[in-house]
Amino acid sequence: MRDIKFRAYRKSTQNVCDVLSIDFEKGWVLLDDGDEEDISTVELMQYTGLHDKNGKGIYEGDILKVTLLLEDNNGGSYMAPVKWFGNPDEYPDNNYPAFDLDNIPAPWIYDANALSTIMNSGHETCEVVGNVYENKDLLEKKF
């Protein structure tokens, strides 16, 4: 069983904070700096239960740098954001409630969940290099 944890991107100050507690009924979030925020003023990012190659926890919205370890591909790499694909409002016909990588560039092809494959194959590593709120420019980088 994984820990249920969240981070929040605070829109007003444009920074990411850890979440200490959430009250969905009252609509507020308590952040690690002691501030209570209306839930509509933050973007919540849920913890995936996974860690990158450096031991850093991976959250929804993180940007991962994925690097191939095989010598025959010269250690190619790409960057992709972590996304939750189980949102019924966004994916009404989707039976894929899982965290995975979004917008994986061609020719990187995975037969199943890319994030799970990367974590279990031993052929690639991943590293958290930023998040989609503070570091959007990283997604434009080409390798």
Side-chain angles (χ1 to χ4, degrees):
M1 192 161 145
R2 70 177 169 87
D3 290 333
I4 305 298
K5 301 189 293 187
F6 289 88
R7 288 188 321 204
Y9 173 73
R10 189 181 342 201
K11 298 172 189 175
S12 63
T13 58
Q14 299 181 342
N15 69 314
V16 172
C17 299
D18 288 328
V19 172
L20 299 179
S21 64
I22 303 172
D23 186 326
F24 288 104
E25 285 184 22
K26 294 180 181 174
W28 60 261
V29 177
L30 177 61
L31 302 176
D32 64 351
D33 60 6
D35 286 347
E36 284 185 10
E37 294 281 336
D38 186 287
I39 203 163
S40 67
T41 66
V42 300
E43 294 288 339
L44 293 174
M45 298 174 277
Q46 188 173 356
Y47 175 57
T48 65
L50 302 171
H51 294 86
D52 74 357
K53 70 178 189 174
N54 300 315
K56 185 173 183 175
I58 300 173
Y59 285 76
E60 176 183 9
D62 279 344
I63 298 171
L64 300 185
K65 180 179 180 184
V66 178
T67 303
L68 188 62
L69 296 175
L70 301 175
E71 292 179 25
D72 60 339
N73 280 345
N74 297 321
S77 63
Y78 67 90
M79 292 198 204
V82 176
K83 187 172 182 178
W84 171 252
F85 285 91
N87 183 344
D89 295 331
E90 191 172 350
Y91 305 101
D93 299 324
N94 189 357
N95 290 325
Y96 185 59
F99 290 105
D100 203 352
L101 298 180
D102 195 20
N103 296 320
I104 299 169
W108 298 79
I109 299 171
Y110 299 90
D111 292 333
N113 181 297
L115 195 53
S116 178
T117 301
I118 292 162
M119 292 295 173
N120 293 305
S121 72
H123 300 293
E124 297 165 297
T125 63
C126 67
E127 178 180 17
V128 175
V129 294
N131 65 67
V132 298
Y133 301 103
E134 297 172 310
N135 312 102
K136 286 182 183 182
D137 58 311
L138 291 175
L139 295 174
E140 298 167 7
K141 272 185 136 176
K142 302 294 181 204
F143 289 87

